[in-house]
Amino acid sequence: MEKTFAIIKPDAVERNITGKIIDRIEAAGFRICGIKKLFLAKAEAEGFYYVHKERPFFNDLCTFMSRSPVVVMVLEQENAIVKWRELMGATNPANAEAGTIRKEFGVSIEENTVHGSDSPESAAFEIPYFFSQLELV
């Protein structure tokens, strides 16, 4: 079984669609190993997204991610990273396939509802950024 990291972003939490997204996650066969609702300080968002620090959207992304609460999760199933990315859909909701979370709930490329690890290496960084081993069941 593989684990991946997921975030339900501020735009989705603000619109009270967290439960709908979690329903989609569970219906797709994922097991939620850890889940928390929290408010990221801008410095925490900057640390999490440090790989993008040289990109022009970095400041806007960190400001967005720290504007209101997020829900962070660790998801598990066979090929979890690839399957979660497929369920999320393309980064730009306008380009996402029908039936994906971003197509159904995404507002824009900036407010695209969810985040997911894109590789085993990013999952290995992202999961312990928010969860200790004791919190994963």
Side-chain angles (χ1 to χ4, degrees):
M1 291 297 223
E2 182 177 60
K3 288 182 175 64
T4 192
F5 179 74
I7 300 176
I8 300 175
K9 294 181 176 183
D11 61 295
V13 175
E14 291 165 357
R15 290 182 287 138
N16 295 316
I17 58 171
T18 302
K20 290 179 182 181
I21 295 168
I22 291 171
D23 284 346
R24 296 281 300 277
I25 290 167
E26 291 183 325
F30 288 95
R31 187 174 79 80
I32 299 173
C33 303
I35 186 168
K36 300 179 192 182
K37 186 176 187 179
L38 48 87
F39 199 113
L40 289 177
K42 189 165 182 193
E44 291 169 318
E46 290 169 346
F48 181 74
Y49 286 109
Y50 83 97
V51 296
H52 299 301
K53 68 182 178 233
E54 301 302 322
R55 298 205 175 162
F57 60 81
F58 178 72
N59 187 58
D60 289 343
L61 173 62
C62 294
T63 299
F64 162 63
M65 291 300 292
S66 61
R67 82 176 185 202
S68 61
V70 297
V71 174
V72 296
M73 296 175 285
V74 176
L75 309 177
E76 182 180 68
Q77 77 167 238
E78 293 292 329
N79 300 310
I81 294 168
V82 169
K83 288 181 180 176
W84 174 232
R85 294 198 65 79
E86 289 171 355
L87 182 60
M88 286 192 308
T91 302
N92 185 343
N95 299 333
E97 289 187 34
T100 62
I101 291 171
R102 287 178 171 156
K103 185 66 165 186
E104 186 171 343
F105 301 116
V107 174
S108 67
I109 194 167
E110 293 84 15
E111 297 191 11
N112 60 11
T113 305
V114 288
H115 164 88
S117 300
D118 62 5
S119 67
E121 295 77 21
S122 65
F125 168 78
E126 293 174 346
I127 291 169
Y129 195 87
F130 291 103
F131 291 94
S132 75
Q133 277 302 117
L134 294 173
E135 295 174 298
L136 302 177
V137 293

